[in-house]
Amino acid sequence: MKTCPKCNVKILDDTDRCPLCRHALSGPDGGLRSYPDAVGSIRRARLFENMVLFLSVIAGIVALYLNYKLSHTNWWSLIVVLSLFYVNVVIRYAILGRSGYQSKVYGLLVIALLVLEGIDYLTGFEGWALTYVYPSGIMALDLAILILMITNRRNWQSYMLPQLVLVVLSLFSGVFWLAGWNRSPLLAQISVGVALFTFLGTLILGDRRARNEMNRRFHV
Amino acid sequence: MKRNKDTKDHIGSTHRYIRWQKLDNTALLFPAIAGESMTNVYRISVTLKEPVQPKLLQKALDMVLPKIDGFNVRLRAGVFWYYFEENGKKAPKVTEESLFPCRYIHANRNHSYLFRVTYYQCRINLEVFHVLADGMGGVNFLRELTYQYLRLAHQELGKQCEDRLSDETSLSVEDSFLKNYKAAKPSGFEKKKAYIIREEKLPTGEFALMHGYMKVSELKEVAHRYGVSLNEYLVAAFVYSVYTEHMLRSANPHPIRVAVPVNLRPYFDSDTTRNFFIVVSAEFVASQDNMTFEDVLEAVRDSLREQIQKDHMEDLFSYSVSNQKNKFLRAFPLPLKKPAIRIVYSKSALANTSTITNIGNVVLDQRYADYIEKFTACIAMSKGQSLKGTICSYNGNLCFTFSSVFRETIVQKSFFRKLAEDGIDVSIETNRVYY
C-alpha cells in the first residue's frame, strides 16, 4: 500500500500520486481499481451530442446566409433552422435522453406541433397548423394512448389522466376557432369527440378500477 | 397503504388490487425539485469478500422486492399531489456499474422502480431516490438483499437460515411525520444565506467520490480528547477545512453552515422505513481572523446540541406538516405547486454550505457478517452544495465519503490531513476522477 508523505494518509487506489495533494507516493506498487471508468463513457456520449449540435449550427448559418443572398422575401431558411432544432431535440431528448417513453411520446408530439405552427407562420400563416395539425395531433395522441393501454394492459388505468388532459387540450380548438385562427371547425369537433368518448369509454367500461384511479389522481 | 375495493377488472387481463399511499412530508419535496442536476439519490454499498455473481444477485432481488412494500412502488402524479402506487412489475434489472453514482432515477424507467441495484467486482450498490426512504430504509433493504444473495451463493447459509426477512427488519410504511405532528409551529428553519464554496467544477455529469477509511476506536479516542461526540468532531473538521482553505482563516460575515440530518426514530418511537428525519445545522461564524480548531469545534458542538432536542425537532417538522395540511395550499394543482416548491427550496438550499449525513452503524447477523468486508454510502449534490459528506460505519471501521463535483480536492486534503494530524490512521480510495 502506498503512502503520501505530505498528507500522511494511505492511498488504496492504483496510482502513483496523491489524490489530495498530487505529491508522488512512496511504497510498493499495486492498488485497487474498485470503480469503473465512467469518465470515458460519459464523454463519448457528450461528444456525439455536441457534434450534432455543431453540424446543425453550421447548416443553419449556411442556410440563413444563402437565403439572405438569394432572396429577401421568402425566409425558407427559418424552416431549415426549425427542422434542425427538431432533429436536435429528437437526438438529445428521445434518443439519448433518459426520460420515460410516455414523456418522450408526448414531448416530441408537442414540440412537433409547435415547430409546424412556426412553419405555418413562416409560410404566410394560412392557419393549416391549427386547423389540421393541432386536432390531428390530439387524435394521434389519443390513438397513441389507446395503443399504450393495450400494450400495458396491467396498468391501463394509469393512462386516464393523460386522456383527460387531451379532452382539455382538444377544447382549445374551439378557442382557436373563436379567435379566428382555425379556418374550419370540423376536424376540431371530431378531435373533441374522439378525446371525450375515449375518456368516457375508459371511465364507464373500466368501472370501479377506473373510478379508483380517478380518486387517487384527484386526492387532495 | 390504502387497499382498493375493486376485486374484478372489466378491462385488462389482470385481477389485482392496486394499493397506494400518500408521500410522507419530506418526500413531497423530492419529485418537485429532482432532476438530472439535482438527483436526490443516495447510494449505500456493501462490499463482500468475494466477487458478486450477477445472476444470483438478480434472483435475490426478485425474491426480496415483493416482500418489502416500501420499495415495491412507483411514483404517480395526481392532479394535486404525487403519490405511490403498488408497482408489481418485474424487479429492475441488476446491471454492472459503468457510470457515475447517484444518477437521476426517472420515474418511468427502470420498470418504474425508484431504486437501482448495480454491482462492481465485490460490491453491491443500492441507489435510492430519496422520495422512497431515508438511509435507514435503504440500509434495511440492502441488508435483506445481501442476506438473500448470500443464502443463494452459499448453500451452508441457505441451510442455516430460511428465505425470509430477518427479525430486525421493519416493514412499517407509516408516515411518522403525520403521526407525531403537533399544532402548527412557526418556521425554525434557517433562511439566512450561508457561505457557499466556489471552485472550478468537473464537466457536467461527472461525479467524484473519495472514501476515507478509519478505525472507530481511534476516532472515538480523539473525539473524547476534545470532549465531543464522533459526529461533532467530523463535522467540525469539515467546517475547519472550509474555514482554512476557502476563507483563508479570515473573518467572514457568512456563516459556514453544515446541514446535519437527524434520524427521528429514536426520539418518537418509530420504526418506519419511509423518510423520518429532520435537518439541523451546525453553524460557525468566523467573527475574527485566525480562529482555532477548538473555536470551530465549540461552535459546532453548541449549535448541534442546542438543536438536537426533541421539542425543537418536533417544532421543525410540525411547521412543514402544517403547510402540507393547509387546506388552501392543498387545493393548488400540482403544476402550480411544483414551481412554488422549487422557489422555496432554492432559497432555503443556499442557507447551507454543505451537508454531512451519518447513516449510522450497520449491524448484521453474525452468520452473514463473515462474508462482508465493508459498507460505504454517498449522497448526490444539491443546489449550492457541490461537496458533501456521508458517514457510515460497520464492524469497527468508519468510512467518511466525500461526494463532489469540484475538480480539486482542497477541502478533502485539509480534512484528512487534520484527522491524520490528530493521530487517526486514514486510508483513501477514490472513483478515479481525480487522476
Side-chain angles (χ1 to χ4, degrees):
Chain A
M1 192 185 297
K2 291 187 174 181
T3 305
C4 174
K6 296 267 279 185
C7 300
N8 200 19
V9 297
K10 297 187 182 78
I11 305 299
L12 302 174
D13 293 340
D14 178 20
T15 182
D16 54 5
R17 58 186 157 142
C18 176
L20 297 171
C21 66
R22 312 282 180 220
H23 197 276
L25 300 176
S26 59
D29 280 343
L32 303 169
R33 276 183 177 266
S34 49
Y35 282 90
D37 175 24
V39 178
S41 61
I42 202 163
R43 286 186 184 163
R44 278 191 295 276
R46 213 166 36 230
L47 181 67
F48 175 66
E49 276 181 24
N50 291 341
M51 283 290 285
V52 173
L53 180 64
F54 173 62
L55 293 173
S56 302
V57 168
I58 287 182
I61 290 172
V62 168
L64 283 167
Y65 177 76
L66 289 175
N67 194 174
Y68 176 76
K69 281 286 179 191
L70 299 173
S71 160
H72 289 276
T73 51
N74 181 9
W75 283 98
W76 55 267
S77 57
L78 291 175
I79 297 173
V80 175
V81 170
L82 278 174
S83 306
L84 289 169
F85 165 74
Y86 193 68
V87 167
N88 275 271
V89 168
V90 169
I91 289 171
R92 281 170 184 258
Y93 183 62
I95 299 173
L96 297 174
R98 291 198 289 264
S99 53
Y101 65 94
Q102 275 195 64
S103 156
K104 285 178 178 176
V105 169
Y106 303 145
L108 285 183
L109 272 164
V110 167
I111 295 168
L113 284 173
L114 289 173
V115 168
L116 289 167
E117 180 60 24
I119 292 173
D120 183 11
Y121 181 78
L122 290 169
T123 53
F125 200 37
E126 291 174 358
W128 55 264
L130 290 180
T131 307
Y132 303 110
V133 177
Y134 185 82
S136 303
I138 299 282
M139 286 190 283
L141 281 172
D142 265 316
L143 182 67
I145 286 175
L146 276 178
I147 292 169
L148 288 171
M149 287 173 87
I150 294 164
T151 313
N152 185 11
R153 281 193 298 276
R154 201 166 191 282
N155 284 310
W156 59 263
Q157 80 290 337
S158 62
Y159 299 95
M160 290 185 70
L161 194 62
Q163 281 185 329
L164 194 56
V165 171
L166 284 183
V167 173
V168 176
L169 289 177
S170 68
L171 294 173
F172 277 97
S173 289
V175 177
F176 299 147
W177 186 64
L178 289 172
W181 300 336
N182 186 337
R183 306 295 148 97
S184 160
L186 182 65
L187 208 53
Q189 287 165 352
I190 294 173
S191 77
V192 173
V194 168
L196 191 62
F197 292 140
T198 48
F199 173 71
L200 285 177
T202 310
L203 185 66
I204 294 165
L205 296 173
D207 200 40
R208 189 176 286 161
R209 189 158 165 183
R211 290 201 299 277
N212 284 336
E213 171 71 5
M214 288 292 102
N215 285 340
R216 285 192 291 273
R217 292 280 197 169
F218 280 87
H219 85 269
V220 184
Chain B
M1 259 192 190
K2 296 183 182 182
R3 189 170 279 261
N4 279 350
K5 289 172 186 162
D6 50 344
T7 53
K8 189 178 180 185
D9 295 334
H10 291 248
I11 296 176
S13 58
T14 54
H15 301 256
R16 68 181 182 103
Y17 296 115
I18 298 171
R19 292 183 290 173
W20 71 287
Q21 60 188 139
K22 296 177 182 179
L23 304 193
D24 62 67
N25 180 260
T26 312
L28 290 171
L29 174 75
F30 296 121
I33 60 168
E36 294 284 356
S37 59
M38 190 164 60
T39 64
N40 288 293
V41 170
Y42 65 85
R43 171 191 277 204
I44 306 172
S45 303
V46 56
T47 304
L48 308 179
K49 290 178 180 169
E50 62 201 25
V52 174
Q53 301 175 55
K55 283 184 181 167
L56 291 187
L57 183 58
Q58 180 70 63
K59 194 173 174 189
L61 181 61
D62 293 344
M63 291 169 77
V64 166
L65 181 58
K67 297 175 189 168
I68 300 189
D69 287 346
F71 278 69
N72 187 14
V73 294
R74 59 183 186 148
L75 184 69
R76 310 308 315 278
V79 173
F80 300 101
W81 297 103
Y82 285 101
Y83 61 95
F84 287 136
E85 195 175 276
E86 180 189 4
N87 191 322
K89 290 183 192 169
K90 268 171 47 180
K93 197 166 185 304
V94 170
T95 54
E96 185 172 14
E97 180 182 358
S98 61
L99 298 167
F100 288 104
C102 300
R103 285 172 305 114
Y104 184 50
I105 296 177
H106 288 273
N108 290 323
R109 292 182 71 104
N110 192 40
H111 294 182
S112 304
Y113 285 100
L114 301 166
F115 68 92
R116 66 169 77 92
V117 177
T118 58
Y119 64 93
Y120 192 74
Q121 296 172 353
C122 301
R123 187 175 62 238
I124 299 171
N125 308 306
L126 171 70
E127 295 190 339
V128 183
F129 186 20
H130 220 317
V131 71
L132 270 189
D134 58 16
M136 187 250 177
V139 167
N140 254 348
F141 187 72
L142 181 61
R143 190 173 51 208
E144 286 305 330
L145 177 64
T146 309
Y147 284 175
Q148 185 60 60
Y149 171 82
L150 290 171
R151 284 197 294 269
L152 293 170
H154 296 276
Q155 284 188 344
E156 66 277 15
L157 261 181
K159 283 175 190 164
Q160 275 180 48
C161 317
E162 285 179 58
D163 279 342
R164 63 175 186 83
L165 301 181
S166 52
D167 294 338
E168 69 261 38
T169 292
S170 165
L171 290 175
S172 166
V173 287
E174 161 196 284
D175 185 343
S176 294
F177 287 112
L178 271 182
K179 190 185 169 198
N180 295 289
Y181 149 83
K182 297 282 185 277
K185 300 282 166 83
S187 171
F189 290 108
E190 195 54 69
K191 293 189 183 98
K192 284 181 214 149
K193 199 175 170 192
Y195 179 79
I196 302 295
I197 304 172
R198 296 188 200 283
E199 283 183 36
E200 188 190 348
K201 288 188 177 171
L202 291 164
T204 307
E206 294 185 19
F207 185 91
L209 284 186
M210 182 179 280
H211 305 295
Y213 300 105
M214 48 208 106
K215 292 270 179 221
V216 173
S217 53
E218 289 181 3
L219 269 166
K220 275 188 174 166
E221 193 211 314
V222 172
H224 183 70
R225 211 160 64 212
Y226 283 112
V228 295
S229 73
L230 188 152
N231 219 34
E232 288 163 348
Y233 170 70
L234 290 171
V235 172
F238 177 88
V239 172
Y240 185 65
S241 303
V242 176
Y243 172 60
T244 51
E245 298 298 325
H246 282 276
M247 287 187 173
L248 305 173
R249 302 172 68 89
S250 304
N252 194 304
H254 293 294
I256 300 171
R257 200 179 288 124
V258 177
V260 179
V262 178
N263 176 15
L264 292 172
R265 291 172 187 83
Y267 299 91
F268 294 92
D269 192 26
S270 164
D271 60 354
T272 184
T273 54
R274 296 171 72 185
N275 287 298
F276 194 41
F277 68 96
I278 197 78
V279 177
V280 299
S281 301
E283 181 173 312
F284 165 71
V285 182
S287 53
Q288 60 193 63
D289 295 349
N290 296 317
M291 294 180 79
T292 63
F293 178 66
E294 282 73 12
D295 294 331
V296 173
L297 195 58
E298 191 184 337
V300 166
R301 182 196 62 201
D302 291 350
S303 56
L304 283 177
R305 290 187 185 181
E306 187 188 319
Q307 291 172 76
I308 305 179
Q309 303 285 341
K310 187 180 175 186
D311 289 345
H312 176 69
M313 295 189 293
E314 189 179 85
D315 289 351
L316 288 177
F317 75 75
S318 291
Y319 169 75
S320 303
V321 177
S322 67
N323 284 331
Q324 178 192 345
K325 290 174 80 76
N326 182 307
K327 284 181 183 166
F328 178 72
L329 296 176
R330 276 160 57 182
F332 270 85
L334 190 57
L336 295 180
K337 275 197 193 101
K338 275 174 72 172
I341 291 173
R342 279 197 204 117
I343 291 167
V344 172
Y345 173 79
S346 297
K347 280 193 170 179
S348 64
L350 298 178
N352 288 303
T353 308
S354 180
T355 298
I356 295 181
T357 183
N358 191 342
I359 299 285
N361 183 36
V362 181
V363 181
L364 296 182
D365 185 325
Q366 196 51 45
R367 289 172 294 185
Y368 301 95
D370 293 342
Y371 299 88
I372 289 164
E373 180 78 41
K374 65 188 176 194
F375 276 83
T376 55
C378 64
I379 51 177
M381 299 301 98
S382 55
K383 190 176 174 72
Q385 297 183 31
S386 303
L387 174 70
K388 292 187 180 184
T390 312
I391 304 166
C392 179
S393 58
Y394 168 69
N395 198 23
N397 296 305
L398 181 141
C399 176
F400 189 105
T401 300
F402 279 104
S403 36
S404 167
V405 289
F406 289 139
R407 189 179 285 282
E408 297 299 327
T409 55
I410 299 166
V411 174
Q412 294 93 316
K413 178 182 73 179
S414 175
F415 177 85
F416 287 124
R417 278 186 177 181
K418 172 65 190 158
L419 265 55
E421 188 188 301
D422 281 343
I424 296 164
D425 193 13
V426 181
S427 302
I428 304 277
E429 183 184 27
T430 74
N431 67 339
R432 309 194 61 79
V433 168
Y434 300 117
Y435 301 123

